[in-house]
Amino acid sequence: QVQLVESGGGLVQAGGSLRLSCAASGRTFSNFAFGWFRQAPGKERECVASISWTGAFTYYADSVKGRFTISRDNAKNTVTRQMNSLKPEDTAIYYCAATLGTPIAPLAKAYNLWGQGTQVTVSS
């Protein structure tokens, strides 16, 4: 089984950058696809990016395309999420999620493993 531990996050001014990391335990890390979700107060959890188990395929929501990057290092069992040009509307709790194989859709229900979440606050 894979357990996910998140780090990073915090408070940043608009236009700034943050890097989130997701460290995974378990011997089958390379078999899992990873998703990157966020949930703002009063809103549904949304997928902002995902990366396939090979790392060859990525998905980005339109709202973050060109600003956020997801990458993985299977040798280090780590998924890194780089957020640039942050906006106040990016304020949310960000989650790392994983699923074995290929997720059927960029939806929370397609992932069965979740990190504890980390708060990102962008001030204007």
Side-chain angles (χ1 to χ4, degrees), residues 17 36 48-49 58-70 82-87 90:
S17 299
W36 183 9
V48 297
T58 55
Y59 158 84
Y60 294 97
D62 289 342
S63 58
V64 306
K65 201 170 292 183
R67 301 188 297 122
F68 289 10
T69 303
I70 187 170
Q82 179 70 38
M83 303 185 291
N84 298 326
S85 303
L86 283 161
K87 305 175 181 179
D90 293 320

Side-chain angles (χ1 to χ4, degrees), residues 4 12 18-20 25 30-31 44-45 49-50 68-70 77-79 83-84 90 92 99 102 107:
L4 308 178
V12 65
L18 282 174
R19 176 172 293 186
L20 307 180
S25 62
S30 60
N31 294 339
E44 292 186 357
R45 190 170 296 189
S50 65
F68 289 10
T69 303
I70 187 170
N77 284 12
T78 301
V79 175
M83 303 185 291
N84 298 326
D90 293 320
T99 188
T102 302
L107 299 173

Side-chain angles (χ1 to χ4, degrees), residues 3-62:
Q3 293 183 323
L4 308 178
V5 178
E6 303 193 56
S7 61
L11 174 64
V12 65
Q13 289 187 332
S17 299
L18 282 174
R19 176 172 293 186
L20 307 180
S21 291
C22 177
S25 62
R27 296 178 296 174
T28 59
F29 176 87
S30 60
N31 294 339
F32 284 79
F34 284 83
W36 183 9
F37 289 78
R38 68 183 180 188
Q39 188 165 19
K43 294 188 177 181
E44 292 186 357
R45 190 170 296 189
E46 65 169 337
C47 182
V48 297
S50 65
I51 188 165
S52 64
W53 61 277
T54 64
F57 299 100
T58 55
Y59 158 84
Y60 294 97
D62 289 342

Side-chain angles (χ1 to χ4, degrees), residues 108-119:
K109 64 181 180 181
Y111 294 81
N112 59 340
L113 297 171
W114 291 86
Q116 79 276 18
T118 184
Q119 177 70 46

